[in-house]
Amino acid sequence: MNHTLLLPSPSSSSPSRSLLLSPSQFINPILFTKNPRNSLTRRHRHRISVTRSSAEDATQQRTPVNSEIFGGKKELTGIQLLAGGLPPPVRLASSVIIVAGALAAGYGLGYRIGGSRNTGLGGAVALGAAGGAAVYALNSCLPEVAAVNLHNFVLSSDDPGALEREDVEGIAKKYGVSKQDEAFNAELCELYSRFVSSVLPPGSENLEGNEVETIMKFKNALGIDDPDAAAVHMEIGRRIFRQRLETGDRDDDIEQRRAFQKLIYVSTLVFGEASTFLLPWKRVFKVTDSQVEVAVRDSALRLYALKLNSVGRDIDDHQLVSLREAHRQYRLSEELAADMFREHTRKLVEENISKALDILKSRTRAVRGTTEVVEVLDEVLAFNNLLMSLNKHPDAERFAPGVGPVSLIGGEYDGDRKMDDLKLLYRAYVVESLSSGRLEENKLVSLNHLKNIFGLGKREAEAIMVEVTSKIYRRRLAQSVSSGDLEAADSKAAFLQNLCDELHFDPQKASEIHNEIYRQKLQQSVADGELSEEDVAMLLRLRVMLCIPQSTVEAAHADICGSLFEKVVRDAVASGVDGYDPDVRASVRKAAHGLRLTREAAMAIASKAVRKIFMNYIQRSRAAGSRTGSAKELKKMIAFNTLVVTELIADIKGEPTDTASQEPVKEEEKQVDEEEEWESLQTLRKTRPSKELEVKLGKPGQTEITLKDDLSERDRVDLYKTYLLFCITGEVTNIPFGAQITTKKDNSEYLLLNQLGGILGLSGKEIVEVHRSLAEQAFRQQAEVILADGQLTKARIEQLNEVQKQVGLPAEYAQKVTKSITTTKMAAAIETAISQGRLNIKQIRELKEANVELDNMISESLRENLFKKTVDEIFSSGTGEFGEEEVYEKIPIDLRINAEKAKGVVHELARTRLSNSLIQAVALLRQRNHKGAVSSLNDMLACDKAVPAEPLSWEVPEELSDLFTIYMKSDPAPEKLSRLQYLLSISDSTAAALREMGDRGLPSIEAEEDFVLPKI
């Protein structure tokens, strides 16, 4: 079974949490033996009505508790009537008299019957015991009598909650009983149980806040101990638990769960810190500490919410102090109390906002609708200001937590949909604040507070302010202009600045409005396609009044007038070569001069439109499938430039066409002067037409508008090269059967090529480079055939000179090509010789003396291998010589290799060759090749000079002595012999003995030959 006794009900304001109770290990309730009526049904419960505290009266007043909650009146029976009717002194005296009388009567009766003293004593003992039993019976019923009297006393009281501790103690004292007596204590627990059950409201009702104080007062009046009182609370919990198990209705189940939460909360507050060990919720009901905390928190939240309901928009410091005391009394955390207070103030503000929105959106809104909205918003601002002032109060620490500015974040109006409504309210307040034509300081502060309350962003609030203020500024500006105040002002800038200050308007935004007004007037003035003198004067007057900068005026003219002029230019260039007639030229002249554009602005607009047409021709040229097709499209572009663009520029400048063509001619003459050294290039020389050809072709085209910034240098060069190849090869026509017919062109094509260079924006240097590269390419192709084997003879030189004249390549470039080819061929031959070992350092030096650049012709790896081979030859020459300057300096310089790296190679070879030379010398000694052995020893000494070595060891010392003797007889230099003695580890005495022995120390070759192996 799933027991969720601590789950808050759906109707509660606290979040739902599952608190599980397990019926296993269920502990039986404590039974009160004297009164069987322990369980109370819901119909027997009676509430204690309590008046809530207010700011005016903080004291709590209670209405009397109905005494019926304690059941009916109890009656005394039998001896209880007697015991209850006797006062304590009388009861004590009566007890003494009864015991004494019983003893006396027993003694007299026994003495009479038995006639002896012993029988008298026996009778006294018998009757005395009976009297004592009667006295005991009388006194033993006193706790029950006291319990009945206490019950009836409480029942007869008009207000059981007003019971005093003295009353209970008086009844106990009257009957001589204590609270430890079982019957009396059981009655105390029964009264306390019934009282607590009546004070706690039913499950569907909330606590009122005075329950804890009422229960504690009644508990203290009864004088019941905390463990006994805690047992009562646990028994009430068991009762609620049993009722929940018995009910099958979901609503009743929720009520019992709520009742259990309230019991936990009230019990925790009644016993305080002792509740952790006096109230074993976890052990009895399987409730965890966190679940208890949730129950306490939820109940405290409900109580504090009830307390907050009495707080209105006129809150004062007394109420805030009362709230702080309440939240501490309810054991509510500071954070939760602060959140609840802020939520309460937010709801109060939301009520005003809803009211303001209803007025604002009402279709039947009266004339004062906006005013009423502002009045409601003023109430919100007044409430917010009150909270802000209380937050800064000197005694703010004594106030309830959460006092501060109001914010709608987290409430009903915290969302994108509601934000639009808040913007409408903010805009209405801004409009009302500026209704007088100026924005007061207090209104500015109120707008800032309202922005913070609504949670508007800085940009959103500024956008609304700018929108409204711009309209007011335009209206004030129009009034100032129409009245003449602005024009009459000594300082227009100061007048406009003062206007911005009154409206708290950004001067930059005001400047934007001025610019917009000027643009509107300008657009109206050019509606007929030109600006008259009156329009110019009016615009100048407006510019002065509004303090518009010259740059802004020029930008406006360039934009508005430029757009009109651009349309005219687009129509003109779109008409093509045949459509640029006098009417079109007249419209261009009218637009260029009537719109009063500067020449630079007009040329910039024309350049944009013309370059777009040029790019169309370029795209079609690239899309053509052949060189001839590409050249034809480029030729159309050249014709368009000559017949349309040149005329267009002349019309814009207002000059005759002849004048427009003079400047390009001068520019061309200047380029010719700079390029006289290239006159040998035939193709370039043909681009300089003769006078007869110029007359035949007419005037040249313009070069002011080019494609220099629209195409990369490589693309422009490729286009120029395409047309140049067309001029060289002519037009190629395909005929049937795969044949082609080439039609040569005259020099007029080269003049068009020159104009194409101007359109593409190529400089004279770039054009020359294109012609030179083609000539060099043609020369290289033929030169590689002539110099196929790399040999340059006199006949071949003459042949190359002839080719150079044919292609028109300057001699300098022809020589570079020739050298490049021969160098490449020679490099291949040299590398082959090195790899085959047919080239040594001597030959390398000879090539170097012949000005052959070896570092460009031989790779570094081959040069390093050649160095290694040269050093190896030195170490195997048999001379014993090693020149450090030659090996470490001269050879690396000749081979262009790193000297340090070369030195490392030498050391590595020397270490390797040193030991190998000794082994080779011994081998030759054994072969009786004394000359070879001497050469090997010299190689060893050469390696030792490169890298000084330690004395060498050998398994047969006699062979080292023989090597020393052989080398000594070769008549070497003393220093070599001494160094060899050191390397072979031969002592001075041994060396002297070997010198004395001479040839006798060596084995005889003849003896060796005569030696015959013995027969076995």
Side-chain angles (χ1 to χ4, degrees):
M1 181 183 299
N2 184 17
H3 302 283
T4 55
L5 193 57
L6 289 182
L7 276 174
S9 64
S11 60
S12 63
S13 60
S14 62
S16 175
R17 291 175 175 83
S18 175
L19 307 180
L20 301 179
L21 296 177
S22 175
S24 63
Q25 302 181 1
F26 183 77
I27 299 178
N28 293 328
I30 300 175
L31 300 178
F32 303 109
T33 58
K34 294 302 181 180
N35 195 336
R37 295 172 296 175
N38 290 330
S39 62
L40 294 177
T41 60
R42 197 186 318 171
R43 65 177 183 272
H44 290 155
R45 293 176 184 161
H46 300 275
R47 300 274 320 273
I48 299 178
S49 302
V50 180
T51 305
R52 302 299 298 168
S53 62
S54 61
E56 293 78 18
D57 185 10
T59 62
Q60 295 183 349
Q61 298 179 354
R62 299 180 290 104
T63 59
V65 178
N66 194 334
S67 58
E68 293 181 0
I69 64 174
F70 301 106
K73 183 179 181 180
K74 297 182 180 180
E75 300 295 340
L76 297 175
T77 60
I79 194 173
Q80 294 177 349
L81 290 172
L82 177 62
L86 294 177
V90 176
R91 186 172 60 252
L92 180 60
S94 299
S95 298
V96 173
I97 292 173
I98 291 173
V99 172
L103 290 173
Y107 182 81
L109 183 60
Y111 188 77
R112 287 180 183 178
I113 296 175
S116 65
R117 184 178 180 183
N118 291 333
T119 56
L121 290 174
V125 170
L127 290 180
V135 171
Y136 176 77
L138 178 67
N139 289 326
S140 64
C141 70
L142 288 177
E144 296 179 1
V145 173
V148 171
N149 279 275
L150 177 61
H151 177 85
N152 292 336
F153 177 79
V154 175
L155 185 63
S156 63
S157 175
D158 294 334
D159 184 9
L163 182 68
E164 299 293 339
R165 187 182 184 90
E166 290 76 10
D167 298 334
V168 178
E169 292 178 349
I171 294 175
K173 184 177 181 182
K174 176 180 178 181
Y175 296 102
V177 299
S178 65
K179 298 176 183 177
Q180 282 72 29
D181 291 330
E182 184 178 354
F184 191 74
N185 187 56
E187 183 62 29
L188 290 176
C189 292
E190 172 69 13
L191 292 174
Y192 183 71
S193 175
R194 289 177 176 269
F195 186 83
V196 171
S197 298
S198 66
V199 170
L200 292 176
S204 60
E205 299 181 14
N206 292 325
L207 296 171
E208 295 183 356
N210 65 336
E211 290 83 0
V212 175
E213 182 181 357
T214 303
I215 292 174
M216 292 182 66
K217 185 176 183 300
F218 189 76
K219 170 176 162 295
N220 294 332
L222 291 178
I224 187 172
D225 296 333
D226 283 348
D228 295 333
V232 172
H233 284 259
M234 296 300 294
E235 173 60 24
I236 296 174
R238 292 188 183 94
R239 188 184 309 153
I240 296 173
F241 183 73
R242 287 195 299 271
Q243 291 176 356
R244 181 175 178 274
L245 293 178
E246 294 171 0
T247 183
D249 187 17
R250 182 176 180 273
D251 295 336
D252 291 340
D253 181 76
I254 294 174
E255 288 187 8
Q256 298 304 324
R257 188 163 58 244
R258 289 281 306 277
F260 191 77
Q261 283 185 323
K262 289 181 285 189
L263 174 65
I264 290 178
Y265 173 69
V266 171
S267 302
T268 302
L269 266 62
V270 167
F271 295 103
E273 298 295 336
S275 62
T276 56
F277 57 86
L278 289 177
L279 302 173
W281 306 112
K282 180 178 180 180
R283 178 171 56 83
V284 178
F285 300 104
K286 300 300 180 182
V287 178
T288 62
D289 295 337
S290 61
Q291 292 171 329
V292 173
E293 291 178 1
V294 170
V296 173
R297 185 198 64 192
D298 291 348
S299 299
L301 288 174
R302 295 189 188 97
L303 281 176
Y304 197 65
L306 187 64
K307 183 76 174 177
L308 286 174
N309 289 336
S310 61
V311 176
R313 296 176 181 82
D314 56 347
I315 188 172
D316 55 16
D317 52 350
H318 298 291
Q319 288 180 313
L320 292 176
V321 172
S322 176
L323 284 174
R324 186 171 187 85
E325 293 174 354
H327 103 77
R328 288 182 174 178
Q329 178 184 351
Y330 301 154
R331 294 186 66 178
L332 188 64
S333 65
E334 294 278 341
E335 294 78 7
L336 291 177
D339 292 340
M340 291 189 67
F341 185 86
R342 284 190 285 264
E343 181 181 0
H344 178 72
T345 56
R346 184 180 67 243
K347 289 181 178 179
L348 293 176
V349 172
E350 287 175 351
E351 293 177 1
N352 291 93
I353 291 175
S354 299
K355 180 180 177 182
L357 284 174
D358 291 340
I359 299 173
L360 189 64
K361 295 182 177 181
S362 176
R363 296 184 178 180
T364 59
R365 186 174 59 184
V367 179
R368 293 187 66 255
T370 305
T371 305
E372 292 178 1
V373 170
V374 173
E375 290 175 356
V376 175
L377 294 179
D378 283 336
E379 293 179 5
V380 173
L381 291 171
F383 181 55
N384 184 69
N385 293 335
L386 175 61
L387 292 177
M388 292 175 63
S389 63
L390 291 173
N391 184 37
K392 298 178 181 178
H393 195 277
D395 297 332
E397 295 181 354
R398 299 175 54 217
F399 293 167
V403 178
V406 182
S407 175
L408 297 180
I409 298 176
E412 177 184 355
Y413 290 92
D414 184 13
D416 296 337
R417 295 183 179 179
K418 296 292 185 179
M419 185 58 67
D420 294 336
D421 294 338
L422 296 178
K423 290 179 181 179
L424 290 176
L425 291 178
Y426 187 79
R427 189 179 187 281
Y429 199 87
V430 172
V431 172
E432 187 66 21
S433 301
L434 291 169
S435 58
S436 62
R438 58 188 302 135
L439 184 61
E440 303 295 341
E441 290 293 336
N442 59 338
K443 289 293 184 181
L444 188 62
V445 175
S446 299
L447 284 170
N448 188 37
H449 290 333
L450 194 63
K451 178 194 74 174
N452 295 333
I453 293 172
F454 288 171
L456 293 176
K458 183 178 180 181
R459 292 183 179 179
E460 295 172 329
E462 286 182 355
I464 296 174
M465 284 289 295
V466 169
E467 177 191 356
V468 178
T469 312
S470 297
K471 295 180 180 179
I472 304 299
Y473 182 80
R474 286 177 179 272
R475 187 176 64 194
R476 290 282 307 272
L477 186 63
Q479 293 174 356
S480 302
V481 173
S482 59
S483 63
D485 295 340
L486 178 58
E487 190 172 10
D490 295 335
S491 174
K492 275 69 175 180
F495 185 90
L496 295 173
Q497 182 63 42
N498 183 51
L499 186 58
C500 291
D501 293 340
E502 291 180 358
L503 296 175
H504 292 274
F505 192 48
D506 185 8
Q508 183 64 32
K509 299 292 183 182
S511 298
E512 294 177 2
I513 292 177
H514 299 165
N515 299 341
E516 185 179 352
I517 293 174
Y518 185 86
R519 291 174 67 89
Q520 290 176 353
K521 292 295 183 181
L522 177 60
Q523 203 157 10
Q524 294 173 2
S525 300
V526 298
D528 57 351
E530 60 180 349
L531 283 174
S532 62
E533 295 296 334
E534 293 78 7
D535 294 334
V536 172
M538 182 271 295
L539 291 172
L540 179 60
R541 172 174 169 270
L542 183 63
R543 173 195 167 191
V544 172
M545 283 194 300
L546 299 181
C547 302
I548 301 175
Q550 178 64 29
S551 59
T552 304
V553 172
E554 293 177 356
H557 280 261
D559 185 16
I560 297 173
C561 300
S563 61
L564 296 175
F565 181 70
E566 184 179 3
K567 183 177 182 302
V568 173
V569 172
R570 282 204 307 266
D571 295 340
V573 296
S575 61
V577 176
D578 299 329
Y580 197 75
D581 53 16
D583 293 336
V584 176
R585 298 187 62 179
S587 63
V588 171
R589 288 178 177 269
K590 177 184 176 182
H593 303 288
L595 293 175
R596 301 179 185 271
L597 287 170
T598 61
R599 177 174 293 185
E600 291 76 10
M603 286 297 298
I605 295 171
S607 175
K608 181 179 178 181
V610 169
R611 285 186 286 110
K612 186 175 181 180
I613 302 297
F614 282 166
M615 288 302 298
N616 291 336
Y617 283 111
I618 297 297
Q619 292 175 0
R620 288 198 295 267
S621 174
R622 289 174 174 174
S626 61
R627 182 187 300 166
T628 302
S630 298
K632 287 182 178 180
E633 293 296 333
L634 294 176
K635 186 182 293 187
K636 292 178 182 179
M637 181 177 68
I638 298 169
F640 173 77
N641 177 66
T642 304
L643 301 177
V644 178
V645 180
T646 304
E647 300 292 338
L648 177 66
I649 293 177
D651 293 334
I652 292 174
K653 295 180 178 180
E655 301 172 349
T657 306
D658 296 338
T659 305
S661 62
Q662 290 177 0
E663 294 181 1
V665 172
K666 294 180 180 179
E667 180 71 19
E668 185 176 343
E669 290 177 354
K670 181 179 179 182
Q671 292 180 0
V672 171
D673 293 338
E674 294 177 353
E675 300 160 5
E676 288 179 352
E677 55 178 325
W678 301 102
E679 284 301 318
S680 61
L681 291 172
Q682 295 182 7
T683 55
L684 182 61
R685 186 170 58 251
K686 291 178 181 180
T687 60
R688 318 298 186 211
S690 61
K691 293 183 179 180
E692 294 79 6
L693 189 56
E694 286 183 354
V695 174
K696 179 181 178 182
L697 295 176
K699 58 183 180 298
Q702 63 82 33
T703 56
E704 294 185 47
I705 300 176
T706 67
L707 296 175
K708 184 176 181 179
D709 299 328
D710 298 273
L711 295 172
S712 64
E713 180 181 353
R714 180 176 180 179
D715 291 339
R716 291 183 285 119
V717 168
D718 289 343
L719 290 170
Y720 187 86
K721 187 180 294 185
T722 299
Y723 200 84
L724 175 57
L725 291 175
F726 172 75
C727 295
I728 295 174
T729 60
E731 182 176 351
V732 178
T733 304
N734 294 323
I735 62 175
F737 305 105
Q740 292 181 340
I741 297 176
T742 302
T743 304
K744 291 289 184 178
K745 298 291 184 179
D746 57 11
N747 291 340
S748 61
E749 295 293 341
Y750 287 94
L751 180 59
L752 298 179
L753 176 65
N754 187 30
Q755 294 183 13
L756 177 62
I759 296 173
L760 295 176
L762 293 173
S763 63
K765 183 177 180 181
E766 292 171 338
I767 292 175
V768 168
E769 183 64 24
V770 173
H771 288 266
R772 186 199 60 76
S773 63
L774 285 178
E776 181 178 332
Q777 182 180 357
F779 179 79
R780 179 179 291 275
Q781 291 176 354
Q782 299 186 42
E784 287 180 349
V785 176
I786 297 172
L787 300 174
D789 57 355
Q791 300 296 326
L792 188 60
T793 62
K794 183 177 180 181
R796 291 180 178 180
I797 292 177
E798 293 177 354
Q799 191 176 0
L800 289 174
N801 291 336
E802 185 65 24
V803 174
Q804 175 216 337
K805 293 178 181 179
Q806 289 178 1
V807 299
L809 184 66
E812 178 185 356
Y813 285 89
Q815 292 174 1
K816 289 182 179 180
V817 172
T818 302
K819 184 177 180 181
S820 173
I821 295 174
T822 56
T823 301
T824 303
K825 301 292 183 180
M826 185 181 298
I830 292 176
E831 289 186 358
T832 302
I834 292 176
S835 60
Q836 294 178 356
R838 294 185 287 105
L839 195 66
N840 54 29
I841 188 63
K842 181 178 180 181
Q843 294 169 329
I844 291 294
R845 286 172 176 168
E846 292 176 354
L847 292 173
K848 186 177 180 182
E849 292 176 358
N851 296 325
V852 177
E853 297 179 359
L854 295 177
D855 51 344
N856 295 330
M857 299 174 63
I858 307 175
S859 63
E860 185 177 1
S861 60
L862 282 178
R863 284 183 270 124
E864 290 176 352
N865 290 337
L866 181 59
F867 175 79
K868 187 175 182 180
K869 182 179 179 182
T870 303
V871 174
D872 191 62
E873 290 176 354
I874 293 175
F875 286 152
S876 61
S877 62
T879 61
E881 300 296 333
F882 179 82
E884 293 186 357
E885 182 180 359
E886 174 72 12
V887 176
Y888 291 151
E889 297 180 8
K890 292 183 179 180
I891 296 178
I893 292 175
D894 292 337
L895 295 178
R896 300 287 183 91
I897 61 175
N898 185 272
E900 293 296 327
K901 189 175 181 180
K903 192 173 184 180
V905 172
V906 172
H907 290 176
E908 182 181 357
L909 285 174
R911 293 189 187 96
T912 305
R913 294 282 300 180
L914 184 69
S915 57
N916 292 340
S917 298
L918 177 61
I919 296 172
Q920 187 177 6
V922 172
L924 294 172
L925 174 66
R926 292 174 180 178
Q927 297 173 10
R928 297 295 185 261
N929 187 354
H930 294 176
K931 186 176 180 181
V934 171
S935 297
S936 297
L937 291 175
N938 280 328
D939 293 340
M940 185 176 68
L941 290 174
C943 293
D944 178 66
K945 287 184 179 180
V947 180
E950 298 294 329
L952 303 175
S953 60
W954 191 253
E955 294 179 356
V956 184
E958 291 79 5
E959 291 181 336
L960 296 180
S961 299
D962 292 342
L963 288 175
F964 180 77
T965 302
I966 291 172
Y967 193 77
M968 180 178 59
K969 292 186 67 63
S970 65
D971 195 18
E975 60 272 12
K976 289 184 178 181
L977 185 62
S978 175
R979 187 61 183 172
L980 180 64
Q981 178 185 345
Y982 171 76
L983 293 175
L984 298 179
S985 301
I986 297 176
S987 62
D988 293 340
S989 58
T990 303
L994 291 174
R995 289 190 185 95
E996 292 178 359
M997 293 176 62
D999 294 337
R1000 292 175 298 167
L1002 294 175
S1004 174
I1005 298 177
E1006 293 77 5
E1008 188 72 22
E1009 293 176 350
D1010 295 339
F1011 177 77
V1012 180
L1013 290 175
K1015 295 182 179 179
I1016 300 176

